[in-house]
């Protein structure tokens, strides 16, 4: 480790002189977390709805009110003719349309089946699915309510509760764990912590080595007796410390501004974060052994970042991925760290729960470090 | 050579893909000498230095520095050599003294000795007034002095300098050479690359690289007396006249002239022995009564021009 202290002190001197590093590491990530944390909200609400109500009596009004009260829809327009109804959908002004036929109330009154036509714009599959589910659920509830009323009148029921009122034969008692209000911030913000940590760390470490290569100072160092280990650890240690500081800041933003509490053990979270930080430092080192200019190291970093965002499970569930993509996701350190973060922060998971992910991350870490350390030589060209 | 050589290159070769940057180069550098590697840009000077410093592996051949095979075990020699690369390679965002301390620590000097050495090299290079200035804010000449100071912090026995005076002004250049002489007098062996002819004249030993090949190597005296420079049947004369550029054009067309070079207002000519001075004046400066000729001996530049010609004729291109 000869030369470790010399390189360490020098690297701190660079960081002290270069204010942009401090800003990049400590302020930008907090801002990014806030911006992305608010922007990435997959809860679908206020889908514009067009209503063509031919009936117009209290039963049909109760139905449209219920749709709006669900929060999923807002009434974009009420139309009086079929042409306007069609136009509202083709123009994209409304994403869903409800047509209530003129005999809706009558049929209900006479105990006949009433028909409701619902048109949904399927171009955005997520919006369409949400709209479809909401309408089905609501209308089902309406129908069940009605059935219950009729059953009560005739004094018969599929089942009764303790006081003898008729109820449904099966009742589902579901409880949402870990994120009861289904806020998407709960899910995305811990993931963002991982993504932002990797982004900053990858750029910093690969740049710090490639910059010296470009300036010729690396060649100058190769002529000195500094050891490989002393040079690398001296260069990387300050960035590891910065990364840890950055982690503290983004976790603080997460718990305070986004009110996402850490349900599990904080020491465990920090310990496994350290493993992730070391892995990403190794990845940065590997990139710097491949790149010959800062531009190239940036391109390599993007090559890692893009799948880290898209394939790691940060955006889309990995279970849905085709096998080749799934295999790619298995070599990304973020994949494991995401599971660890979400596990500890949201579910209060302990080490035993996380063992597969900890092993996965450790193996990737070992491979990356071995690869980058053997590739890094005190040789030019 | 009286002492064992401190640098020994034996058949050094370096290929980059198909391109041969250094081809079968062999030479010896005796302790305490100033060895100049001369050659045009791209002739392989920097590549040789990198191989001798152990940061570039040779494709073939062997190099021994201070008795250590640098291809096998470069780390064993690194604390005994210093290297000043072609481009300024210190940290521009650190001060002069921070750069010095960094290299002092890198070479593992204990704090007391580091302070002594920092003082010594600061005195030697007269850097004291600039100690607290950022290295990036120093002028070209002072940058080179700082680079030299850093390369000397651990008292190396051999100092490799790759074009140390490229891009600095003539005064700074002279001062840097004065420093190098001072070092050589103190027993440091210097290996310097340059493409300045006048710098080659300051070396005790010179090697001339042409197209990746070492065309000639020896002491300055041996080089000056290289027999090929004035081939038998030819002689060297200098012509001064009113219109030297016109005379140059005529000389190039005249088949009695083997070689011609313009030196300011004079032409250095290599002519066939049988050609009389009067004939030269009449042919190259017709009607110029002030034209004068005199016999001269070859300069080092003539030697290198001759060597390049000989290499070309030997068909190494």
């Amino acid at each position: 480790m000869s030369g470790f202290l010399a390189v360490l002190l020098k690297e701190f001197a660079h960081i002290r002189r270069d204010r942009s590093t401090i800003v990049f590491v400590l302020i930008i990530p907090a801002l990014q977390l806030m911006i992305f944390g608010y922007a990435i909200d997959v809860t679908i609400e206020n889908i514009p709805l067009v209503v063509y109500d031919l009936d117009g009596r209290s039963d049909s009004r109760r139905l449209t009110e219920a749709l709006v009260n669900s929060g999923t829809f807002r009434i974009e327009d009420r139309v009086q003719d079929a042409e306007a109804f069609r136009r509202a959908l083709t123009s994209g002004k409304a994403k869903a349309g409800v047509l209530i036929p003129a005999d809706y109330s009558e049929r209900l009154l006479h105990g006949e089946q009433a028909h409701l036509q619902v048109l949904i714009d399927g171009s955005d599959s997520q919006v369409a699915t949400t709209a479809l589910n909401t309408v089905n659920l609501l209308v089902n509830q309406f129908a069940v309510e009605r059935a219950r009323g009729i059953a009560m009148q005739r004094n018969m029921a599929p089942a009764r509760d303790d006081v003898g009122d008729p109820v449904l034969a099966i009742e589902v008692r579901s409880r949402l764990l870990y994120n009861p209000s289904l806020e998407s911030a709960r899910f995305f913000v811990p993931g963002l912590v991982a993504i932002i940590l990797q982004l900053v760390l990858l750029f910093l470490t690969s740049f710090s080595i490639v910059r010296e290569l470009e300036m010729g100072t690396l060649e100058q160092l190769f002529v000195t007796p500094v050891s490989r280990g002393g040079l690398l650890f001296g260069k990387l240690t300050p960035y590891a410390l910065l990364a840890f500081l950055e982690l503290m800041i983004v976790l603080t933003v997460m718990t305070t501004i986004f009110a996402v509490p850490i349900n599990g053990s904080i020491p465990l979270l920090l310990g496994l974060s350290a493993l992730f930080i070391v892995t990403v430092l190794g990845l940065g080192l590997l990139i710097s052994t491949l790149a010959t200019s800062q531009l190239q190291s940036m391109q390599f970093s993007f090559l890692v970042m893009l799948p880290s965002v898209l394939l790691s499970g940060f955006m889309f569930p990995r279970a849905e991925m085709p096998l080749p993509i799934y295999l790619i996701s298995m070599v990304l350190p973020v994949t494991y760290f995401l599971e660890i973060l979400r596990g500890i922060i949201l579910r209060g998971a302990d080490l035993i729960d996380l063992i597969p992910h900890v092993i996965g991350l450790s193996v990737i870490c070992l491979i990356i470090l071995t690869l980058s350390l053997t590739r890094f030589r005190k040789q030019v060209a | 050579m009286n002492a064992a050589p401190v640098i020994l290159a034996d058949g050094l070769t370096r290929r980059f893909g198909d391109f041969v940057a250094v081809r079968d180069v062999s030479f010896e550098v005796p302790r305490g000498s100033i060895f100049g590697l001369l050659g045009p840009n791209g002739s392989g000077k920097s590549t040789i230095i990198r191989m001798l410093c152990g940061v570039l592996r040779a494709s073939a051949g062997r190099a021994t520095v201070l008795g250590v095979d640098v291809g096998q075990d470069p780390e064993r020699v690194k604390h005994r050599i210093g290297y000043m690369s072609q481009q300024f390679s210190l940290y521009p965002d650190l001060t002069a003294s921070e750069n010095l301390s960094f290299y002092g620590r890198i070479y593992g000097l204990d704090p007391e000795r580091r302070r002594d050495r920092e003082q010594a090299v600061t005195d030697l290079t007269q850097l004291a007034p600039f100690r607290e200035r950022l290295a990036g804010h120093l002028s070209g000449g002072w940058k080179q002095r700082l680079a030299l100071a850093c390369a000397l912090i651990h008292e190396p026995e051999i100092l490799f300098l790759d074009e140390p005076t490229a891009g600095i002004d003539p005064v700074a250049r002279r001062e840097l050479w004065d420093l190098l002489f001072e070092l050589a007098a103190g027993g440091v062996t210097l290996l310097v690359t340059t493409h300045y002819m006048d710098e080659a004249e300051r070396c005790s030993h010179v090697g001339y690289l042409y197209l990746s090949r070492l065309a000639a190597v020896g002491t300055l005296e041996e080089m000056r007396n290289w027999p090929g420079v004035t081939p038998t049947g030819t002689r060297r004369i200098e012509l001064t006249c009113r219109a030297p550029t016109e005379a140059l054009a005529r000389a190039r067309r005249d088949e009695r002239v083997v070689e011609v070079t313009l030196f300011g207002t004079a032409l250095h000519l290599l002519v066939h022995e049988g050609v009389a001075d009067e004939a030269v004046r009449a042919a190259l400066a017709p009607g110029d009564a002030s034209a004068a000729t005199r016999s001269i001996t070859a300069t080092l530049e003539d030697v290198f021009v001759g060597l390049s010609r000989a290499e070309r004729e030997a068909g190494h291109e």
Side-chain angles (χ1 to χ4, degrees):
Chain A
M1 289 294 272
S2 93
F4 170 74
L5 193 67
V7 179
L8 184 80
L9 290 171
K10 171 190 83 81
E11 216 58 34
F12 273 125
H14 287 313
I15 293 169
R16 212 177 52 234
R17 289 268 148 75
D18 185 11
R19 298 259 174 263
S20 69
T21 308
I22 307 278
V23 172
F24 190 58
V25 174
L26 303 182
I27 299 175
I28 301 284
L31 288 177
Q32 277 179 326
L33 185 63
M34 282 193 254
I35 293 167
F36 293 136
Y38 281 121
I40 301 179
D41 187 345
V42 291
T43 325
I44 294 169
E45 286 170 338
N46 298 322
I47 300 171
L49 176 78
V50 57
V51 178
Y52 182 19
D53 190 351
L54 291 169
D55 182 84
R57 277 167 283 186
S58 73
D59 274 326
S60 72
R61 274 205 309 277
R62 265 196 334 123
L63 182 78
T64 46
E65 268 162 31
L67 285 174
V68 173
N69 289 342
S70 71
T72 308
F73 295 101
R74 65 178 167 80
I75 307 253
E76 171 68 32
D77 204 358
R78 289 176 192 276
V79 294
Q80 303 305 329
D81 61 277
E83 171 58 20
F85 183 64
R86 197 185 58 83
R87 181 69 59 195
L89 286 166
T90 52
S91 67
K93 248 169 56 187
K95 297 287 172 205
V98 180
L99 193 154
I100 304 172
D103 59 353
Y104 176 73
S105 298
E106 260 119 61
R107 292 182 82 95
L108 283 181
L109 207 62
H110 293 119
E112 290 166 37
Q113 184 172 42
H115 302 278
L116 201 62
Q117 194 182 16
V118 178
L119 300 178
I120 293 170
D121 176 355
S123 357
D124 186 333
S125 62
Q126 282 195 23
V127 172
T129 312
T130 310
L132 194 63
N133 288 342
T134 310
V135 171
N136 280 342
L137 205 71
L138 268 174
V139 175
N140 250 331
Q141 245 172 36
F142 258 69
V144 168
E145 266 315 300
R146 236 189 145 77
R148 206 165 73 108
I150 291 165
M152 230 145 78
Q153 281 170 17
R154 304 202 178 156
N155 205 15
M156 54 187 279
R160 290 182 191 279
D161 65 7
D162 300 339
V163 291
D165 284 343
V167 289
L168 287 179
I170 300 170
E171 186 201 14
V172 178
R173 291 187 178 174
S174 59
R175 191 156 67 93
L176 287 167
L177 296 174
Y178 317 128
N179 187 4
S181 47
L182 288 180
E183 286 168 62
S184 57
R186 285 270 169 118
F187 184 67
F188 274 107
V189 170
L192 264 176
V193 171
I195 296 286
I196 290 173
L197 195 63
Q198 168 169 308
L199 180 79
V200 172
L201 211 50
L202 207 54
F203 278 93
L204 274 185
T205 50
S206 61
F207 265 45
S208 99
I209 294 171
V210 175
R211 195 190 304 129
E212 289 219 27
L213 181 74
E214 273 187 339
M215 289 200 303
T217 50
L218 201 60
E219 183 178 336
Q220 191 73 47
L221 283 176
F222 288 167
V223 180
T224 72
V226 65
S227 69
R228 239 160 25 114
L231 178 56
L232 291 178
F233 289 110
K235 278 197 79 68
L236 297 185
T237 307
Y239 294 106
L241 294 177
L242 276 186
F244 220 76
L245 207 60
E246 183 195 323
L247 177 73
M248 301 297 186
I249 291 175
V250 287
L251 284 181
T252 309
V253 171
M254 182 188 80
T255 49
T256 54
I257 296 181
F258 289 101
V260 177
I262 298 171
N263 289 327
S265 146
I266 292 179
L268 180 67
L269 180 67
L270 296 185
L272 293 177
S273 299
L275 178 64
F276 177 69
I277 287 172
V278 171
T279 312
V280 177
L281 288 176
L283 203 57
L285 180 61
L286 188 64
I287 288 176
S288 62
T289 64
L290 296 167
T292 53
S293 68
Q294 295 191 48
L295 182 69
Q296 269 189 23
S297 84
M298 201 148 98
Q299 289 165 335
F300 278 120
S301 300
F302 273 118
L303 210 66
V304 177
M305 278 318 293
L306 216 59
S308 295
V309 171
L310 296 177
L311 307 182
S312 63
F314 170 65
M315 296 287 281
F316 314 109
R318 287 170 66 226
E320 309 289 320
M321 293 173 185
L323 188 66
I325 305 287
Y326 190 82
L327 291 180
I328 292 176
S329 77
M330 283 184 69
V331 301
L332 298 169
V334 173
T335 302
Y336 303 99
F337 190 49
L338 266 182
E339 294 286 354
I340 291 169
L341 276 177
R342 284 175 180 159
I344 297 177
I345 293 174
L346 300 178
R347 303 194 303 269
D350 61 15
L351 189 59
I352 294 165
D353 299 319
L354 298 173
I355 277 179
H357 310 299
V358 175
I359 291 177
L361 186 57
S362 308
V363 169
I364 300 288
C365 177
L366 226 69
I367 291 174
I368 288 176
L369 282 185
T370 315
L371 216 62
S372 50
L373 286 176
T374 45
R375 275 194 59 88
F376 189 84
R377 294 251 164 261
K378 279 177 74 180
Q379 295 271 323
V380 295
Chain B
M1 294 184 185
N2 41 20
V6 287
I7 301 174
L8 202 148
D10 182 13
L12 268 189
T13 301
R14 174 70 204 200
R15 283 180 287 268
F16 294 103
D18 287 340
F19 173 67
V20 184
V22 173
R23 192 189 294 270
D24 195 19
V25 166
S26 304
F27 61 90
E28 294 180 359
V29 178
R31 186 177 287 277
S33 60
I34 303 182
F35 187 97
L37 261 182
L38 202 76
N41 288 331
S43 56
K45 303 188 295 282
S46 302
T47 310
I48 291 178
I49 284 203
R50 285 183 175 139
M51 287 192 280
L52 293 177
C53 290
V55 294
L56 186 68
R57 224 172 274 286
S59 307
R62 221 165 68 100
T64 311
V65 173
L66 295 165
V68 176
D69 185 332
V70 288
Q72 293 292 320
D73 195 5
E75 295 306 315
R76 258 181 62 208
V77 81
K78 284 184 178 169
H79 60 282
R80 296 170 70 189
I81 61 170
Y83 170 54
M84 204 173 128
S85 68
Q86 196 167 355
Q87 70 180 124
F88 176 71
S89 43
L90 297 173
Y91 301 98
D93 55 332
L94 301 187
T95 64
S97 92
E98 283 171 333
N99 269 296
L100 269 178
S101 306
F102 170 63
Y103 278 101
R105 288 198 190 94
I106 280 283
Y107 282 102
L109 308 183
D110 60 66
E112 195 182 333
R113 184 160 142 70
R114 207 181 75 224
R115 269 190 292 280
D116 289 350
R117 285 302 301 160
E118 281 177 28
Q119 192 59 51
V121 293
T122 306
D123 290 347
L124 177 76
T125 53
Q126 299 172 333
L127 265 170
F130 304 108
R131 283 183 62 91
E132 298 314 316
R133 189 170 299 183
L134 292 182
H137 291 172
L138 293 173
S139 70
W142 287 103
K143 274 183 182 162
Q144 289 305 78
R145 280 169 180 250
L146 177 58
L148 184 65
C150 288
L152 290 172
I153 194 86
H154 58 301
E155 285 187 283
E157 293 166 59
I158 305 178
L159 185 59
F160 295 91
L161 302 112
D162 196 357
E163 306 222 357
T165 57
I168 64 174
D169 66 78
V171 177
R173 196 148 79 94
R174 170 167 298 221
E175 285 170 350
L176 192 68
W177 269 95
D178 288 344
L179 271 173
L180 298 186
F181 285 131
E182 208 173 314
L183 288 171
V188 179
T189 308
L190 302 173
L191 191 148
V192 186
T193 71
T194 179
H195 54 247
Y196 292 115
M197 209 54 62
D198 60 320
E199 292 190 351
E201 307 248 12
R202 300 177 198 230
C203 299
S204 61
H205 297 69
V206 176
Y208 181 66
L209 281 164
Y210 185 76
L211 293 170
S212 315
R213 198 178 279 278
L214 194 61
V217 61
T219 64
L220 203 57
E221 267 320 293
E222 287 167 348
M223 292 295 269
R224 282 220 179 89
N225 298 328
W226 179 60
V229 68
T230 311
T232 43
T234 61
R235 64 193 189 93
R236 284 183 183 276
I237 55 169
E238 182 189 74
L239 168 74
T240 44
C241 58
R242 272 205 301 266
T245 48
E246 286 167 31
L248 178 71
R250 290 193 194 98
R252 289 209 168 121
R253 287 193 297 268
D254 197 316
E255 62 200 18
R256 290 169 299 178
V257 178
V258 180
E259 203 177 274
V260 58
T261 324
L262 183 63
F263 277 86
T265 58
L267 293 182
H268 285 192
L269 298 154
L270 182 65
V271 298
H272 289 296
E273 210 155 33
V275 184
D277 283 17
E278 299 78 39
V280 172
R281 288 200 297 268
L284 302 186
D288 183 355
S290 67
T293 46
R294 65 185 181 94
S295 287
I296 50 165
T297 56
T299 63
L300 201 54
E301 181 160 343
D302 294 324
V303 171
F304 293 134
V305 171
L307 280 167
S308 305
R309 184 188 58 224
E311 282 288 312
R312 267 199 308 277
E313 282 162 7
H316 285 320
E317 269 182 73

